[in-house]
Amino acid sequence: MTIAEVCKRCGVTADTLRYYERVGLIPPVGRTRGGIRDYTETDVNWITFIRCMRSAGLQVSALVRYVALFRKGDASLPARKAILVQQRALLAKRLENLRDVLGRLDAKIANYEERCAVWERKHLRK
Amino acid sequence: MTIAEVCKRCGVTADTLRYYERVGLIPPVGRTRGGIRDYTETDVNWITFIRCMRSAGLQVSALVRYVALFRKGDASLPARKAILVQQRALLAKRLENLRDVLGRLDAKIANYEERCAVWERKHLRK
DNA sequence: CTAGCATGTGGAGTGGACTCCAGGTCAAGC
DNA sequence: GCTTGACCTGGAGTCCACTCCACATGCTAG
């Protein structure tokens, strides 16, 4: 699969895909004799996974550590799990906070609803 | 209240407080004759609010717009409400995504739990 | 009144995560 | 063989949200 096809499928730019590979966010991608990247379905799965985690705010550095461990084989299973568990905890904390802030925002909006209504009545009467 | 006291109360650095004021993330803070910032309780409330929203990822630019409108008085109520509503929608979307990613992460961890156990049995037997 | 610490300002620097660019290959159609 | 468009690499640039710095001034304790 060419980089352009992967871009389309995953909704990322070629620059981003090359960047991901360069910093180790995904394992190295195979090449044709000409040196052109030839993505496999497995590569696409990695990209999808990384995009998913990044979309939730997991740091590149943590994911890089994860991918590096992955490349060392089964002996790294516990270490990889540890990373996931730790990231999960961070994520849960942020989720909790977002929930809380959303609540506050809703309260504030309700308040505005009120005040806007009052303000409009005042101006209609005028 | 001095900037140092506000720092302690709000858990931010003085640099950050000055930065917030400089870019308009909070309304201008009053000064003593000597030119030193003298925060009121209202100022602290603003800082708390901004910190809260920032912690949920609302962009500085959106909050700056909000604060700027606030300073224009009641006529800006509807515009301010519009910003809040829009930001709330974005936040809800991100919340939804975090929830989803958390679920995937949990599934992945459960999978690791399994595979780690297998791996350990293999190594204990050895 | 002076030492010394808290604050002030304007501006430069940082870290994270891309994003863009120049200058050079590769490959498919004519 | 040649043109043309996709791809390559290494490195520089961008954006965001702070964070740090240097140097100047304010205030308080002795």
Side-chain angles (χ1 to χ4, degrees), chain A residues 63-81:
Chain A
L63 294 168
V64 165
R65 270 183 287 134
Y66 178 81
V67 174
L69 285 170
F70 176 87
R71 303 226 282 136
K72 297 199 174 163
D74 281 1
S76 72
L77 276 169
R80 275 185 270 160
K81 190 185 126 193

Side-chain angles (χ1 to χ4, degrees), chain A residues 1 7-8 19 23-24 29 32 34 38 42 54 63-64 66-67 73-74 78 87 92 101 103 106 109 115 121:
Chain A
M1 209 180 316
C7 288
K8 203 158 290 176
Y19 164 73
V23 300
V29 174
T32 64
D38 186 16
T42 304
R54 287 286 307 122
L63 294 168
V64 165
Y66 178 81
V67 174
D74 281 1
Q87 294 302 313
V101 175
D106 279 339
I109 288 171
R115 294 173 58 200
R121 271 200 295 285

Side-chain angles (χ1 to χ4, degrees), chain B residues 9 13 19 25 29 33 42 47 52 59 68 70 88 94 101-104 109-110 123-126:
Chain B
R9 272 186 59 180
T13 69
Y19 164 72
L25 219 32
V29 174
R33 306 117 241 116
T42 305
I47 294 161
C52 175
Q59 293 196 341
F70 176 87
R88 190 228 115 94
R94 280 187 298 130
V101 175
L102 188 63
R104 289 169 195 273
I109 288 172
H123 275 253
L124 283 175
R125 207 181 309 144
K126 220 199 267 182

Side-chain angles (χ1 to χ4, degrees), chain A residues 13 24-25 27 34 41 48 54 58 65 70 74-75 93 112 115 121:
Chain A
T13 68
L25 261 182
E41 212 56 40
T48 307
R54 287 286 307 122
L58 274 73
R65 270 183 287 134
F70 176 87
D74 281 1
K93 200 167 290 177
Y112 264 88
R115 294 173 58 200
R121 271 200 295 285

Side-chain angles (χ1 to χ4, degrees), chain A residues 52-118:
Chain A
C52 174
M53 294 302 136
R54 287 286 307 122
S55 79
L58 274 73
Q59 293 197 339
V60 167
S61 58
L63 294 168
V64 165
R65 270 183 287 134
Y66 178 81
V67 174
L69 285 170
F70 176 87
R71 303 226 282 136
K72 297 199 174 163
D74 281 1
S76 72
L77 276 169
R80 275 185 270 160
K81 190 185 126 193
I83 290 180
L84 294 182
V85 167
Q86 180 195 332
Q87 294 302 313
R88 191 228 114 95
L90 292 175
L91 187 50
K93 200 167 290 177
R94 278 186 299 129
L95 184 59
E96 191 50 46
N97 184 247
L98 283 217
R99 228 194 291 279
D100 176 54
V101 175
L102 188 63
R104 289 168 194 275
L105 208 40
D106 279 339
K108 206 168 183 71
I109 288 171
N111 185 354
Y112 264 88
E113 210 90 8
E114 191 69 24
R115 294 173 58 200
C116 275
V118 169

Side-chain angles (χ1 to χ4, degrees), chain B residues 12-77:
Chain B
V12 285
T13 69
D15 272 322
T16 299
L17 288 181
R18 295 195 201 99
Y19 164 72
Y20 279 4
E21 187 177 349
R22 188 149 41 95
V23 301
L25 219 32
I26 56 172
V29 174
R31 308 298 182 101
T32 65
R33 306 117 241 116
I36 293 201
R37 288 179 181 78
D38 186 16
Y39 292 84
T40 66
E41 213 56 39
T42 305
D43 292 327
V44 172
N45 288 341
W46 269 109
I47 294 161
T48 307
F49 169 66
I50 290 297
R51 288 253 98 196
C52 175
M53 294 302 136
R54 287 286 307 122
S55 79
L58 273 74
Q59 293 196 341
V60 167
S61 58
L63 294 167
V64 165
R65 270 183 288 133
Y66 177 80
V67 174
L69 285 169
F70 176 87
R71 305 224 283 134
K72 297 200 174 162
D74 281 1
S76 71
L77 275 169

